[in-house]
Amino acid sequence: MVESSVVLILFGSFLTLLLLGAPISVSLGVSALASFLYLGENPIKFVQIAFTSVGSFPLMALPAFILAGALMEAAGISKRLVDLAESFAGPFTGGMSAATVMACMFFGAISGSGPATTAAVGMLMIPAMVERGYGKGYASAITASSGGLGVVIPPSIPMVIFGISAIGLMPPPEAIAEHGQFQSVSIPKLFIAGFLPGLVLSCGLLTMNYFLCKKQNYTGTTEGWSGANILTALRKGTWSVLAPIVILGGIYSGLFTPTESAIVAIFYTLFIGFFVHRELKVKDVLRSLETTTWLTGRVLLILFTATVFGRLLVENQIPAIVASSMLEMTSNIYLIWALIIFFLLFVGMFMETLAAILILTPVLLPVAYSLGIDPVHFGIVVVCCLSIGFQTPPLGENLFIASGVSGTSIEEISLRALPFALTSVVAVFIVAFVPEITLFLPRLLGY
């Protein structure tokens, strides 16, 4: 009886505050504190759990990757990556928009953030596409849709958050008895596992882009591919292309951890910006630090409160109840995958990605364990599903960024982004139903 009352207070106050328009961090914190007080717990325990959640070493990667992404835009690295992607597009139907997808892949391999990728690539590519005859709405939609690749292509801030959430959740003994030992979750493993699913999502976007551009008659350049242009873009972009190679190569080779790689990325960018490209100014660094402080503070506030919320869920055995009710409904793994994916897509439309991961990982990961789903595979599918939330209203951050850059209405961009969202959903189902897409690379590299 006490358990059901706590759940009612926890979710009731959380949903009520959300409907009243309170920030998600406030909604999480107040509902968790109300539940603590109802249980007669010392409020100091609330603070201790929250403080422990933000004191982990892997979490240092969060502000470091945000700062690295902001500095790379100021240092001219993102511009050179865009130029390189554009040089490969040539006369290909929808070449410029295909170059946008490729540029988002390149920049996603540096920034780890969907909105940062959309902003960096959008400011360069949306005006360029409009100049080439693309509709503003379409140019904004393809940029907003491709920006979600920033959190799937490693390194990825949501993968860091999922790793931190999942590392402490051990598989239930009954799941081990039925399915055998599960592999452990680690952030480098998640980064490696995300590479091929990121390519699957990218190929889906490129395919849909080709058909839509053919229908709209958005052609490529008339002069064809130019070897000289590609070589020039490669020469100018050498240091920019080396950035993801240095970051990911260091992680995969074991030279440094993801947290250390983010620090390496910052120093690499500062060196390139000040001494090679000479485009980075002290005021740019200060502006980047300001952006990082604001974004990190917002994320840590959510993490702070969501951890306590998640602890209450686990202590009241909500994950076990959800898992058993799902398994009672059906034991077909494909149907349960479909239920999980549609639920995550729905949540992604209304909730910030990092908050959703922190709240739902303790609830859904036990379900995955009960079905024998690999936790790394599960984590990648969760991140892929929530990445689609960046391009779907009402919360879609990428839509707002693309709208701000292009001056196009959110409604028009949302409508034109719909085919890309549907394509991404199909790609997520492929990734979920074919585990080898996710697990092949980690196994190949000995993880």
Side-chain angles (χ1 to χ4, degrees):
M1 184 67 186
V2 176
E3 283 180 6
S4 58
S5 301
V6 171
V7 171
L8 192 65
I9 292 166
L10 191 65
F11 282 102
S13 52
F14 174 63
L15 293 171
T16 303
L17 286 164
L18 277 184
L19 290 171
L20 289 171
I24 193 160
S25 52
V26 173
S27 305
L28 288 166
V30 170
S31 57
L33 186 58
S35 303
F36 260 86
L37 294 172
Y38 174 78
L39 290 167
E41 298 268 12
N42 189 335
I44 293 296
K45 186 183 173 185
F46 176 101
V47 179
Q48 287 170 336
I49 295 169
F51 181 77
T52 307
S53 73
V54 295
S56 63
F57 176 71
L59 198 60
M60 284 174 62
L62 176 71
F65 275 127
I66 293 171
L67 179 57
L71 287 172
M72 281 172 184
E73 189 184 334
I77 288 177
S78 55
K79 183 180 185 303
R80 284 164 175 79
L81 289 174
V82 167
D83 289 343
L84 180 61
E86 193 181 343
S87 70
F88 281 111
F92 186 76
T93 299
M96 281 290 285
S97 44
T100 303
V101 178
M102 290 163 63
C104 286
M105 287 171 64
F106 286 145
F107 196 75
I110 299 170
S111 74
S113 162
T117 302
T118 306
V121 175
M123 282 190 283
L124 299 163
M125 290 303 287
I126 292 174
M129 281 190 275
V130 172
E131 202 177 302
R132 292 278 183 92
Y134 285 74
K136 260 190 185 182
Y138 185 84
S140 305
I142 185 70
T143 308
S145 303
S146 306
L149 296 172
V151 302
V152 181
I153 302 284
S156 158
I157 293 168
M159 284 181 199
V160 172
I161 299 299
F162 177 84
I164 292 166
S165 304
I167 285 167
L169 292 170
M170 303 309 294
E174 49 281 16
I176 295 172
E178 188 178 346
H179 302 288
Q181 200 66 41
F182 291 87
Q183 69 166 320
S184 61
V185 178
S186 73
I187 293 166
K189 201 184 292 182
L190 285 165
F191 281 2
I192 294 166
F195 186 73
L196 290 179
L199 286 182
V200 171
L201 263 71
S202 304
C203 289
L205 290 174
L206 286 168
T207 305
M208 179 57 73
N209 172 66
Y210 175 79
F211 287 113
L212 290 176
C213 285
K214 199 164 188 179
K215 187 180 176 183
Q216 299 285 341
N217 200 27
Y218 296 148
T219 55
T221 56
T222 50
E223 62 267 21
W225 273 290
S226 166
N229 286 348
I230 292 172
L231 285 172
T232 303
L234 270 172
R235 183 174 51 79
K236 287 182 178 177
T238 301
W239 291 99
S240 302
V241 173
L242 279 174
I245 294 170
V246 168
I247 296 165
L248 298 177
I251 296 169
Y252 298 163
S253 65
L255 198 61
F256 36 74
T257 66
T259 306
E260 291 162 350
S261 77
I263 308 300
V264 169
I266 291 168
F267 281 99
Y268 180 88
T269 307
L270 289 171
F271 175 77
I272 300 305
F274 280 123
F275 302 110
V276 180
H277 295 164
R278 298 182 182 179
E279 293 178 20
L280 194 62
K281 305 286 184 285
V282 174
K283 65 176 182 180
D284 296 324
V285 177
L286 294 173
R287 197 182 306 117
S288 299
L289 286 167
E290 189 182 326
T291 304
T292 304
T293 306
W294 184 80
L295 282 174
T296 305
R298 195 179 74 173
V299 172
L300 288 181
L301 267 176
I302 295 169
L303 177 64
F304 197 87
T305 49
T307 304
V308 186
F309 192 93
R311 178 72 68 87
L312 281 165
L313 288 177
V314 173
E315 284 178 358
N316 289 281
Q317 298 183 324
I318 306 305
I321 295 165
V322 172
S324 62
S325 60
M326 269 193 167
L327 292 171
E328 280 170 17
M329 198 185 302
T330 175
S331 59
N332 186 310
I333 192 168
Y334 297 109
L335 281 177
I336 291 179
W337 260 132
L339 286 170
I340 290 171
I341 289 169
F342 284 124
F343 175 64
L344 288 168
L345 291 170
F346 177 76
V347 168
M349 289 169 66
F350 298 96
M351 193 180 287
E352 194 170 4
T353 303
L354 303 184
I357 290 171
L358 285 161
I359 294 167
L360 296 176
T361 300
V363 178
L364 295 178
L365 189 56
V367 178
Y369 280 132
S370 301
L371 292 163
I373 296 170
D374 184 276
V376 173
H377 177 215
F378 181 75
I380 296 302
V381 174
V382 169
V383 171
C384 288
C385 284
L386 294 174
S387 76
I388 298 171
F390 284 115
Q391 68 193 68
T392 51
L395 189 70
E397 290 175 78
N398 290 2
L399 298 174
F400 288 99
I401 291 168
S403 172
V405 171
S406 65
T408 314
S409 70
I410 294 286
E411 292 77 14
E412 186 183 347
I413 299 172
S414 301
L415 196 64
R416 292 188 177 276
L418 202 56
F420 297 111
L422 292 172
T423 307
S424 297
V425 171
V426 172
V428 168
F429 270 97
I430 293 168
V431 171
F433 290 174
V434 187
E436 276 303 299
I437 295 171
T438 304
L439 302 175
F440 172 71
L441 274 183
R443 193 182 299 120
L444 186 69
L445 295 172
Y447 277 86

